[in-house]
Amino acid sequence: MSIDLRSVFSGKTQSIPIDEKFDFSDLEVSGINPISSPISVVGSVFMRAEVVRLEATASFVYKAPCDRCCAITEKTFEIPIDHIIVNSSADEDESDFIVSENMELDLEDLIRSDIILGLPFLFLCKEDCKGLCPKCGKNLNTEECICKPEVDERWAKLSEFYD
Ligand SMILES: [Zn+2]
Ligand SMILES: [Zn+2]
């Protein structure tokens, strides 16, 4: 889906409202498709002080296993989308800018890469998830285990040396 930006670039319209839904159910993250319901993107493309800008919010439900305890976790994300858009004929030195070819903007591609960049590096069921015991595999959020913390053999030798 592409947006025709000519009217904003020429100053004919002040802003183009955006209220779109995108299907990103094909997006794959470590073997699963975490975004099964459509993403909603609400915002606008507008000209202010001679600069054309896209400002929007992408909201969606993300469902995936917790990176520590593997519990299936559902979270709603709201990722801010903020880009300055330049005409392809303009100065292209700035890599921060989105260059619109033929004054068109491919919103879906842009949103897709923003969402991938905006996702947290660690997806956790809760901030302080204790994860699984590496020895017995118990979920330490709900159970306690009697395993001692694993000590790496090499480090054990080294700590003997320092004793
Ligand atoms: Zn967890
Ligand atoms: Zn254990």
Side-chain angles (χ1 to χ4, degrees):
M1 184 233 151
S2 64
I3 303 177
D4 186 348
L5 299 178
R6 273 174 299 185
S7 60
V8 180
F9 272 112
S10 67
K12 252 190 210 145
T13 22
Q14 207 115 76
S15 80
I16 301 173
I18 296 170
D19 188 352
E20 298 288 336
K21 295 236 188 309
F22 296 111
D23 176 20
F24 284 178
S25 56
D26 60 332
L27 188 86
E28 202 175 290
V29 180
S30 6
I32 61 155
N33 306 112
I35 303 174
S36 53
S37 37
I39 282 187
S40 133
V41 180
V42 177
S44 62
V45 178
F46 57 89
M47 164 105 83
R48 192 178 294 155
E50 307 279 293
V51 175
V52 174
R53 194 171 195 125
L54 161 68
E55 263 183 26
T57 304
S59 27
F60 54 95
V61 175
Y62 190 91
K63 191 174 172 186
C66 168
D67 282 334
R68 278 191 201 142
C69 73
C70 303
I72 296 295
T73 303
E74 206 176 272
K75 270 188 198 174
T76 302
F77 282 100
E78 288 199 342
I79 291 182
I81 312 286
D82 187 353
H83 294 285
I84 288 174
I85 302 164
V86 295
N87 191 333
S88 51
S89 59
D91 211 358
E92 288 176 33
D93 286 348
E94 299 285 344
S95 54
D96 296 347
F97 295 167
I98 302 295
V99 178
S100 79
E101 300 291 339
N102 309 316
M103 298 205 188
E104 284 189 354
L105 178 68
D106 188 334
L107 192 60
E108 183 162 353
D109 268 7
L110 185 63
I111 301 292
R112 192 175 278 260
S113 56
D114 276 358
I115 282 176
I116 292 168
L117 290 173
L119 289 172
F121 182 64
L122 262 185
F123 182 69
L124 300 177
C125 61
K126 52 183 179 180
E127 211 53 55
D128 59 346
C129 170
K130 296 190 184 104
L132 304 177
C133 169
K135 273 193 173 169
C136 68
K138 274 187 183 163
N139 184 339
L140 300 177
N141 295 307
T142 53
E143 290 176 280
E144 278 188 36
C145 74
I146 50 158
C147 307
K148 292 201 174 71
E150 191 110 25
V151 180
D152 190 307
E153 292 275 324
R154 288 164 297 176
W155 292 113
K157 284 245 162 59
L158 205 64
S159 62
E160 269 168 40
F161 180 79
Y162 281 111
D163 268 348

